[in-house]
Amino acid sequence: MEENEVNNNAEVLTAEDVKELTPLYENVILALKQVYDPEIPVNIYDLGLIYELNIRKSREVSIKMTFTAPNCPMADEVMAEVKRNVEDVPGVKGCVIDLVFEPVWDQSMMSDEAKVTLGFDVDFDDAPQGENAQQA
């Protein structure tokens, strides 16, 4: 790895930078929540498909994301929508998406909201579920 490559990936943000970028970060998350998996009625953020979201001081966004399955037939369209939505956020200068499949996505990566939407049991604070709930 070349020295420039290391420096490009390791930008140090000051507390002031973080304070300034926080609203932008929140708006990018809202933009990601407008993109839905074509086969599942949950947005890609709550599905846990966004593995990493970074915003540089220059306001360039980089995203590492995955899909529920590596052979998703709509992958190109979803990635184009992610890029378009993020770049439409006021203040964002550009967006680069890195599609990854490690770690492999699984249902544990979904938010509780997504699990409820899809009808999964949500384990709140490891509370007992079902018949065992009475015995606890």
Side-chain angles (χ1 to χ4, degrees):
M1 187 179 292
E2 293 187 20
E3 186 176 332
N4 288 343
E5 203 172 323
V6 171
N7 290 338
N8 287 338
N9 292 329
E11 181 178 50
V12 177
L13 299 177
T14 65
E16 185 66 27
D17 294 331
V18 172
K19 183 178 177 182
E20 185 179 318
L21 292 172
T22 295
L24 186 60
Y25 185 84
E26 292 168 354
N27 288 334
V28 168
I29 290 173
L30 288 174
L32 291 170
K33 286 186 171 192
Q34 300 305 309
V35 180
Y36 283 76
D37 182 294
E39 298 178 344
I40 304 172
V42 175
N43 69 71
I44 63 167
Y45 189 84
D46 286 327
L47 268 178
L49 301 183
I50 304 299
Y51 285 175
E52 193 174 298
L53 169 61
N54 292 300
I55 302 177
R56 299 175 60 89
K57 290 181 196 181
S58 62
R59 300 182 183 281
E60 295 167 341
V61 177
S62 65
I63 295 172
K64 283 189 181 176
M65 67 174 290
T66 194
F67 287 101
T68 56
N71 58 349
C72 175
M74 299 293 289
D76 291 340
E77 289 85 353
V78 172
M79 288 178 57
E81 187 176 355
V82 168
K83 184 173 177 66
R84 190 171 43 253
N85 281 17
V86 170
E87 288 180 342
D88 283 348
V89 172
V92 169
K93 302 292 185 209
C95 177
V96 175
I97 302 169
D98 185 16
L99 182 60
V100 298
F101 292 103
E102 291 293 329
V104 174
W105 180 89
D106 66 52
Q107 294 174 358
S108 71
M109 296 172 175
M110 291 190 291
S111 70
D112 287 345
E113 185 178 328
K115 290 175 185 175
V116 168
T117 299
L118 295 174
F120 291 101
D121 284 334
V122 178
D123 191 14
F124 293 105
D125 297 324
D126 296 321
Q129 301 290 319
E131 292 177 20
N132 296 333
Q134 300 298 325
Q135 299 172 358

